[in-house]
Amino acid sequence: LINVEGHAFKDVMIDFRESIFRVISKLIIPLLPLFIFGIFLKMTYSGDAVPVMKVFAKIIVVIFAMSLVWLIALFCVSALISHRNPFKCLFRMLPAYLTALGTASSAATIPVTLSSVRKCGVSEPVSNFAVPLCATIHLPGSMIKVVACAIAIMLLQGMPFSFGLFLQFIMLLAVTAVAAPGVPGGMIMAALGVLEAVLGFDASSQALIITLYIVMDSFGTACNGASGCAVAIIVDKVF
């Protein structure tokens, strides 16, 4: 094998990543409120705004409850493996959870998450590796949000769906999520192609799911960060 030491291709990919990050964070995300406002004006004119808002309120409560159940279950599993108190670890993750609620960004929460993970007794080498990696590839809160929102909108609009269809959607979404930038709303923007190709979401359906996702974005990000702590605890015990 010929080993060529060079950084040109790596630098190109880093610049490309930074370009995508800036387009989403500086252009698309700031314009989303105007886009959502227009969608709700249209729904108000057609008389659909009130029923849709009632469904949105219910699904927000359901998603928040599902995120809490997932966190408690995951920390209980980590406690069984590591012999730590799961509720003490959850309490020590509170600063990271609140930071994620405020920033809605997994990347921006990483320093606080690292500090909280180390307070749970995770070694520095494991925490330095597991936390940034989980912020990129372990996104249960975002997955819960997208799937629950998709089901709610399909029920609301009378669209047909099945277990097999959503299994395919979830598998593709899991791959797509890894490519989502660590900016607020990045996950749903990356998922739009899968929503259209697999579930048949048109422009109006995509606008609804973007609206619902953005409203719940902070809660999903908080769940993502706290879940990474549980994974770090398990990895630390195993190794």
Side-chain angles (χ1 to χ4, degrees), residues 75-178:
F75 271 87
C76 286
V77 171
S78 71
L80 289 174
I81 296 174
S82 64
H83 307 293
R84 292 184 172 96
N85 188 316
F87 297 101
K88 284 186 177 179
C89 291
L90 275 170
F91 179 77
R92 288 166 181 161
M93 284 303 300
L94 191 58
Y97 191 91
L98 295 176
T99 302
L101 283 177
T103 62
S105 171
S106 299
T109 313
I110 287 177
V112 184
T113 306
L114 277 171
S115 176
S116 299
V117 166
R118 288 167 188 166
K119 290 179 182 177
C120 294
V122 178
S123 63
E124 186 172 338
V126 171
S127 60
N128 286 342
F129 175 78
V131 170
L133 181 63
C134 286
T136 304
I137 66 171
H138 187 240
L139 308 172
S142 298
M143 293 291 292
I144 289 171
K145 280 189 304 178
V146 175
V147 174
C149 292
I151 292 175
I153 291 173
M154 293 182 79
L155 288 173
L156 183 66
Q157 298 188 342
M159 300 169 64
F161 64 91
S162 63
F163 175 79
L165 181 67
F166 262 87
L167 180 61
Q168 179 187 1
F169 171 66
I170 290 170
M171 293 175 68
L172 290 173
L173 185 63
V175 177
T176 305
V178 179

Side-chain angles (χ1 to χ4, degrees), residues 4 16 32 34 69 79 100-102 122 124 161 163 187 208 210 214:
V4 178
F16 179 70
L32 274 179
L34 183 62
V69 169
L101 283 177
V122 178
E124 186 172 338
F161 64 91
F163 175 79
M187 171 71 172
L208 287 176
I210 289 172
I214 293 297

Side-chain angles (χ1 to χ4, degrees), residues 16 37 46 53 68 81 94 109 168-169 178 198 212 215 221:
F16 179 70
F37 179 68
S46 62
M53 291 303 294
L68 288 181
I81 296 174
L94 191 58
T109 313
Q168 179 187 1
F169 171 66
V178 179
V198 179
L212 188 51
V215 171
T221 304

Side-chain angles (χ1 to χ4, degrees), residues 4-45:
V4 178
E5 293 186 3
H7 301 282
F9 182 71
K10 178 182 177 182
D11 292 340
V12 169
M13 297 306 296
I14 291 174
D15 289 343
F16 179 70
R17 180 192 65 186
E18 186 65 22
S19 299
I20 298 299
F21 183 92
R22 292 191 179 188
V23 167
I24 293 177
S25 60
K26 303 296 184 182
L27 181 62
I28 296 178
I29 299 301
L31 290 177
L32 274 179
L34 183 62
F35 176 68
I36 293 169
F37 179 68
I39 293 297
F40 272 89
L41 279 180
K42 182 180 178 181
M43 287 193 298
T44 303
Y45 178 77

